[in-house]
Amino acid sequence: MSWVSENKLPWWQRLAMRVVKVGKIPSHIAFIMDGNRRFARKIHVEKTEGHSRGFERLADVLQWCLDLGVKEVTVYAFSIENFKRSKDEVDDLLKLASEKFDRLLEEQDKLRERGICIRIIGNLSMLPEELQQKIARAMYVTRNNKTAILNVAFAYTSRDEVTHSLKTITEGVSDSSLDHDAITHELIDRCLYTKYGTNPDLLIRTSGETRLSDFLLWQVSTTILYFTKILWPEITIWHVLGAIFQYQRWYYRLHTPQKFLLDTSQKEDISPMFQEHQVEHFVSDVDNKHWKHMQKLIGQSSATHVSDHNL
């Protein structure tokens, strides 16, 4: 199944979409794609087929978001907790992921035409090296696409993400690259897996569960949450439009506290010039180390170095 959906909505759904677009459209929507296994049991197929159907639905949802004008989408594809499932299921999921990234590389021209940039967020070191290489190449070949961003959380939990950020900062303090006073919540932000994206405006979880399952906990303090009982492979444009309608209802109520939090964070983060320079140098160094690892995975020479801000 393609990463780029060719399915066309009927006229009445396109009309409903235009009506919703009159209001405020979230710039960034996150999805917890829950219910693939229950869907498989419901239609009496193997779990792997349920996950495959879930991927097919992702292509449709991404296209709907593009049509609505959503600039960034983040999906929870594979939690670190999923490694606790049976070996057979984990192996099947990793095999499916490998196949989907192969397909993505085959479709890079389509993704370039649609302007879709792929970013994978998570602890990639936990994955097989061959899959890491495919992920690195997928991010590389789509790095210059500017219309929309798809963040795929793979081998991810929020606790691991924050731990990774704090370890990175601690190493900077230990080797005297950073002073203690330079540590702020903004610096933690800039060392997260999600450092190049924005915080979600709206988070949608399917399957009826009303919890976040360790997903983007640092980023969703002012995010509007929408829970629906529909299983992920069965989600339709109506569910997405319903979630956006709820977002529109609550947007202006939440807008003031968002502004307050932004103003407060800006005041808290005012630092002496030497600390600002120190932080910028540290973050740049972290980016360069990360990119060198990416280059190693995809076999690129230093002559093809590209700023990690494009990943």
Side-chain angles (χ1 to χ4, degrees), residues 8 34 45 80-81 88 102 109 127 134 140 191 202 204 206 232-233 246 256 268 273 304:
K8 302 297 183 183
D34 195 15
V45 298
I80 290 174
E81 295 298 312
D88 287 344
D102 282 337
D109 290 339
L127 302 174
K134 293 177 182 181
Y140 180 82
C191 293
L202 171 65
I204 301 172
T206 56
W232 173 256
Q246 177 166 301
T256 299
E268 288 175 349
M273 286 298 294
T304 59

Side-chain angles (χ1 to χ4, degrees), residues 238-274:
W238 299 116
H239 299 101
V240 175
L241 293 179
I244 292 176
F245 180 69
Q246 177 166 301
Y247 166 80
Q248 291 172 342
R249 290 179 60 197
W250 285 96
Y251 170 75
Y252 292 105
R253 296 187 187 183
L254 193 60
H255 186 67
T256 299
Q258 278 180 326
K259 184 176 185 300
F260 172 77
L261 288 172
L262 180 61
D263 290 344
T264 301
S265 69
Q266 288 173 342
K267 291 175 184 177
E268 288 175 349
D269 289 341
I270 295 174
S271 305
M273 286 298 294
F274 77 92

Side-chain angles (χ1 to χ4, degrees), residues 28-29 31 58 62 72-77 117-121 149-154 193-194 196-198 215 311:
H28 183 178
I29 301 180
F31 293 91
L58 170 60
L62 180 58
E72 187 170 0
V73 173
T74 301
V75 296
Y76 204 2
C117 173
I118 306 293
R119 295 174 179 163
I120 312 303
I121 57 174
I149 297 166
L150 173 62
N151 303 305
V152 181
F154 207 93
Y193 299 138
T194 56
Y196 301 120
T198 60
F215 180 53
L311 291 179

Side-chain angles (χ1 to χ4, degrees), residues 61-153:
V61 171
L62 180 58
Q63 186 58 54
W64 301 336
C65 289
L66 282 170
D67 292 342
L68 284 162
V70 177
K71 300 298 184 184
E72 187 170 0
V73 173
T74 301
V75 296
Y76 204 2
F78 188 87
S79 168
I80 290 174
E81 295 298 312
N82 291 154
F83 283 111
K84 297 178 181 179
R85 295 180 181 178
S86 69
K87 183 180 184 303
D88 287 344
E89 184 175 359
V90 172
D91 288 345
D92 286 342
L93 285 168
L94 295 178
K95 180 182 177 182
L96 179 63
S98 183
E99 292 171 354
K100 298 310 179 186
F101 282 108
D102 282 337
R103 186 59 186 269
L104 183 151
L105 293 171
E106 293 171 3
E107 295 185 328
Q108 57 183 279
D109 290 339
K110 286 185 178 180
L111 292 168
R112 187 179 302 112
E113 180 182 336
R114 302 286 180 92
I116 301 172
C117 173
I118 306 293
R119 295 174 179 163
I120 312 303
I121 57 174
N123 190 343
L124 303 187
S125 65
M126 302 181 72
L127 302 174
E129 185 171 349
E130 183 181 6
L131 182 54
Q132 291 184 50
Q133 291 170 347
K134 293 177 182 181
I135 286 172
R137 190 164 296 279
M139 291 193 288
Y140 180 82
V141 300
T142 64
R143 69 195 185 282
N144 292 322
N145 300 342
K146 304 297 185 183
T147 302
I149 297 166
L150 173 62
N151 303 305
V152 181

Side-chain angles (χ1 to χ4, degrees), residues 177-188:
S177 298
L178 283 173
D179 292 333
H180 289 89
D181 292 341
I183 301 174
T184 63
H185 74 82
E186 182 186 23
L187 179 59
I188 296 173

